[in-house]
Amino acid sequence: MNIEANMKRVQSAKSTSLTGTIFAPGDKSISHRAIILGAMAEGETRIDGLLEGADILSTIGAMRAFGADIYRADDGQWRIKGCGESGLHHPREDIDCGNAGTGVRLIMGAASGYALTATYTGDASLSSRPMNRILDPLRDMGVTAKAQKGGRLPAILTSDGDLSPIRYTPPIASAQVKSAILLAGLNINGTTTVIEKTPTRNHTENMLSAFGVEVSVKQRTGGTEISVTGPAKGYAKLTAAHVSVPGDPSSAAFLIVAALITPNSDVIIKNVMMNPTRTGLFECLTEMGGYLRADNFRKSGGEIIADLHVKYSKLSAITVPPERAASMIDEYPILAIAAAFANGTTIMDDIGELRVKESDRISATIAALSANGVSCEDLANGMKIKGNSGHLVAGGGIVTTHHDHRIAMSALILGLQSEAPICIDDGSMIATSFPSFFDLMNELGAKITAK
Ligand code: S3P
C-alpha cells in the first residue's frame, strides 16, 4: 500500500503494540533557521539532517529567490553559498512560503535588513494567519508594509536598508516575533533588543552564535533582554557554519503518545532535541505517569539531544500549568489525545494562541475528539478532556484537518486505540513537518492506511 500516492484520505485502526528503535526527523525550527542564516552568511554553510518537509522546501525556494545558491549534495548534505557581503537580492518573483508560518515570519524579518521590496504569499491556511505581530514592529523600525485586512498575506514589504533599532516587548510569547526582530536587527546600525517576559525557544540566539554573531542575553526584572548590534555600515558579518540538525521533539511527540496509549508498546526514539524551551510536553506526560526515560545525553549542532525510551503506561489527568505553554505550544493537540486515555479530566487553559496556528487548534482538536466519542469541552481559551481510563474510544469519525499537519497526525494516533477506524479528510499536509510519519508509524506496527 502506497500512502504517498493516495495521500488524501488516510485511516488508522486499532493496533496491538508498537515496538522498535527509530530516529526522530530533523527539527523544523532549526531547519528553517539554518537555511535563512546560511543564505545570509559569507561562505559555504553545510547542513546535515535537514528536515526535507514541505515547509522547509518553501523556505529554500524563498532564500534562492533572494539570491542564495542552495542545493542538496549527493551524500544528502545541504550546502548553501550565502549572499554574504553583497546582501540579499531584490527577488524577481513572489516569495511563496506555502504553509510555513515560521518561514514567512522569519524571512520577512531577515529580508527587512536589506534594501529591497518583496511580496510574500502563502496557502489558504497561511493567508488566514495574523502577520501584524511581525509587521507592527518592523514598521516601527522603518519598513513600509502593505498587507490585507487584519494584517493577512499577501503582503508587500519595502525596506531602504537603513532601519532604526528598537527595544520591543512582544505582547505575546512568540519565538517567531523575537526571531524576526533580531534577524532584522542584524543589519541595523545600533542595538536592537527584544524583551521576553516568558522564555520561548532560543534556537535563533543559539544559531546566530554558531554563525559568529554576538547575541547578548541579560536577565532583568522586566524579563530577559535579548540584543544584537548591527554594523555602522555594510551588512552584518555572518560566517558560514556546519549545522547538524537535531531530532524534532514536536514530531517525536506523536510517536511518544502513540506508544504510551497502545498496550504492550516499547519504543526507543533516538536523537531527540532536549532544549528546555521545547520539552514541556515531556514534563506533562511524565507527570501523568507515562514511562518516558531520556538517556545518552550529548550535544549535537549546539543543542542537547538524548534517546527517549517510552512504554505503554496507565495515565492520570493533570491540569497543565499555563506558564508551561511556550515550551509545548505545538504539542497541545497530541497531549489532548493522551488525555483522552487518562484517568480523570485534563485541563489546558490560557492557550488562546492555539486559535491562530495552522488552524484553530482548540476547535479542531475538540471536533476531532467529539467525532470519535471522547467527552470534551472547548473553553474560551483552552480545552477540558475527560479521559476514559485506558479503554478504547468509539472512533468511526471522519476528522477535518483544516490543512493542519498536527491535527492530522493527532487524529491518526487517536485511531490506534479506537473500536472503529478513524479517517482524516486529508493526510497530505503531514509532509510539511514529518514526511516520514507514515513509514515510521507502520515500521513500529501501527495500522495506518490510505483510504
Ligand atoms: C516556532 C515558534 C512557534 C511554533 C512554531 C515554530 C519557531 O510559534 O508554534 O511551530 O520555530 O520559532 P510562535 O512563535 O508564534 O509561538
Side-chain angles (χ1 to χ4, degrees):
M1 187 258 344
N2 180 359
I3 295 188
E4 304 293 327
N6 271 305
M7 194 62 90
K8 271 283 181 184
R9 278 208 170 191
V10 184
Q11 87 169 21
S12 66
K14 187 176 167 233
S15 304
T16 42
S17 73
L18 302 179
T19 51
T21 298
I22 50 177
F23 284 85
D27 186 73
K28 183 156 78 71
S29 294
I30 302 253
S31 295
H32 279 299
R33 286 159 172 81
I35 298 291
I36 296 168
L37 295 193
M40 295 169 80
E42 186 75 41
E44 187 181 75
T45 286
R46 293 171 175 237
I47 309 170
D48 288 312
L50 186 82
L51 171 71
E52 294 177 356
D55 275 11
I56 306 306
L57 300 181
S58 297
T59 288
I60 290 172
M63 298 321 288
R64 280 183 180 141
F66 283 113
D69 180 10
I70 309 175
Y71 65 98
R72 187 184 199 275
D74 291 343
D75 58 1
Q77 187 181 64
W78 283 81
R79 309 221 173 119
I80 306 177
K81 293 201 180 83
C83 296
E85 277 176 18
S86 58
L88 298 191
H89 304 174
H90 184 86
R92 277 197 227 115
E93 65 232 50
D94 288 357
I95 303 298
D96 181 358
C97 291
N99 190 252
T102 305
V104 74
R105 291 178 175 138
L106 268 59
I107 294 169
M108 288 197 292
S112 291
Y114 301 88
L116 55 84
T117 294
T119 300
Y120 298 89
T121 63
D123 71 3
S125 154
L126 189 59
S127 304
S128 70
R129 298 180 66 186
M131 295 297 150
N132 278 339
R133 55 185 57 196
I134 305 293
L135 301 181
D136 287 343
L138 289 179
R139 286 184 181 114
D140 291 348
M141 291 167 143
V143 172
T144 305
K146 287 189 201 129
Q148 310 306 304
K149 201 167 168 237
R152 304 300 199 260
L153 298 182
I156 306 172
L157 272 67
T158 302
S159 167
D160 61 4
D162 187 19
L163 304 180
S164 309
I166 55 171
R167 273 177 69 81
Y168 190 72
T169 307
I172 40 163
S174 167
Q176 294 179 354
V177 173
K178 168 178 67 178
S179 302
I181 296 169
L182 293 176
L183 292 177
L186 290 176
N187 288 317
I188 299 177
N189 182 6
T191 298
T192 296
T193 301
V194 177
I195 300 144
E196 274 199 323
K197 290 191 194 128
T198 311
T200 63
R201 66 192 72 194
N202 57 358
H203 309 311
T204 301
E205 298 90 305
N206 293 347
M207 204 178 289
L208 279 172
S209 303
F211 278 76
V213 175
E214 203 178 306
V215 182
S216 145
V217 180
K218 290 189 180 132
Q219 305 302 332
R220 304 268 196 231
T221 39
T224 309
E225 294 194 4
I226 306 129
S227 307
V228 291
T229 301
K233 62 178 185 336
Y235 296 125
K237 204 165 162 35
L238 273 73
T239 311
H242 182 183
V243 181
S244 286
V245 180
D248 195 329
S250 301
S251 296
F254 298 101
L255 309 168
I256 292 168
V257 171
L260 285 175
I261 64 168
T262 305
N264 307 312
S265 292
D266 191 332
V267 171
I268 291 174
I269 309 162
K270 294 181 88 91
N271 285 5
V272 180
M273 177 165 55
M274 298 300 284
N275 181 321
T277 63
R278 296 287 299 279
T279 51
L281 175 79
F282 302 165
E283 285 171 58
C284 291
L285 294 174
T286 307
E287 284 167 13
M288 290 169 86
Y291 183 100
L292 182 58
R293 302 276 183 279
D295 50 24
N296 197 10
F297 281 87
R298 58 215 184 267
K299 265 204 146 182
S300 170
E303 298 282 354
I304 296 166
I305 62 169
D307 300 331
L308 297 182
H309 186 188
V310 50
K311 290 189 201 180
Y312 168 73
S313 306
K314 289 200 183 331
L315 301 174
S316 306
I318 57 166
T319 294
V320 181
E323 62 275 12
R324 200 176 280 169
S327 66
M328 54 178 290
I329 194 68
D330 291 333
E331 278 67 82
Y332 284 93
I334 191 61
L335 177 61
I337 305 304
F341 296 95
N343 180 14
T345 299
T346 293
I347 296 168
M348 317 171 193
D349 213 348
D350 265 341
I351 48 170
E353 261 300 289
L354 264 70
R355 297 215 186 263
V356 291
K357 293 292 178 187
E358 284 83 331
S359 68
D360 174 343
R361 285 186 172 156
I362 295 179
S363 73
T365 303
I366 294 295
L369 291 171
S370 306
N372 290 291
V374 179
S375 162
C376 53
E377 205 181 312
D378 184 331
L379 308 174
N381 281 318
M383 310 184 247
K384 199 170 174 181
I385 291 141
K386 191 159 176 254
N388 67 1
S389 309
H391 298 110
L392 297 178
V393 300
I398 297 178
V399 172
T400 308
T401 56
H402 303 279
H403 301 285
D404 188 331
H405 52 132
R406 299 200 200 278
I407 297 299
M409 289 185 275
S410 299
L412 291 175
I413 302 296
L414 181 65
L416 301 180
Q417 286 307 300
S418 61
E419 276 164 28
I422 291 179
C423 195
I424 58 169
D425 65 344
D426 184 1
S428 61
M429 298 314 292
I430 291 174
T432 62
S433 67
F434 200 163
S436 56
F437 175 77
F438 298 112
D439 287 345
L440 288 184
M441 286 302 298
N442 286 327
E443 196 182 314
L444 292 175
K447 291 196 182 123
I448 299 183
T449 50
K451 269 282 279 174

